[in-house]
Amino acid sequence: MKATVYVTIKENVLDPQGTAVQGALHTMGFAEVESVRIGKYLELELDTNDKAEAEARLKAMCEKLLANVVVEDYRFELEG
């Protein structure tokens, strides 16, 4: 089963990396960019066919390692 995990900084948390990228884009002539938020994209292959188990395990992975739940949000999708 393939899992796709998206981790993003919470809306109320400052994103200095995103601000730096926005500034660089403006410098390069892309003035239409109003804001940038930086995140992570992960793909995992899970050795299970049990969707409920996969969801529970993914939630545990995200909360223990893949996301800092204090400042980041996460979501995931399962295929297969």
Side-chain angles (χ1 to χ4, degrees), residues 5-74:
V5 180
Y6 304 91
V7 180
T8 55
I9 295 177
K10 292 183 178 185
E11 287 297 319
N12 60 344
V13 175
L14 294 177
D15 184 358
Q17 196 175 13
T19 302
V21 170
Q22 178 188 4
L25 288 168
H26 285 181
T27 300
M28 298 172 77
F30 299 105
E32 68 273 17
V33 177
E34 292 183 3
S35 67
V36 176
R37 305 288 288 178
I38 300 293
K40 296 180 273 189
Y41 169 85
L42 301 98
E43 290 183 357
L44 294 86
E45 286 291 333
L46 305 175
D47 186 17
T48 183
N49 291 323
D50 184 335
K51 186 174 181 180
E53 177 189 2
E55 288 176 348
R57 300 291 286 165
L58 276 168
K59 183 176 187 226
M61 289 179 215
C62 289
E63 292 182 359
K64 290 181 178 184
L65 177 67
L66 302 179
N68 177 350
V69 294
V70 174
V71 295
E72 295 175 319
D73 290 321
Y74 67 88

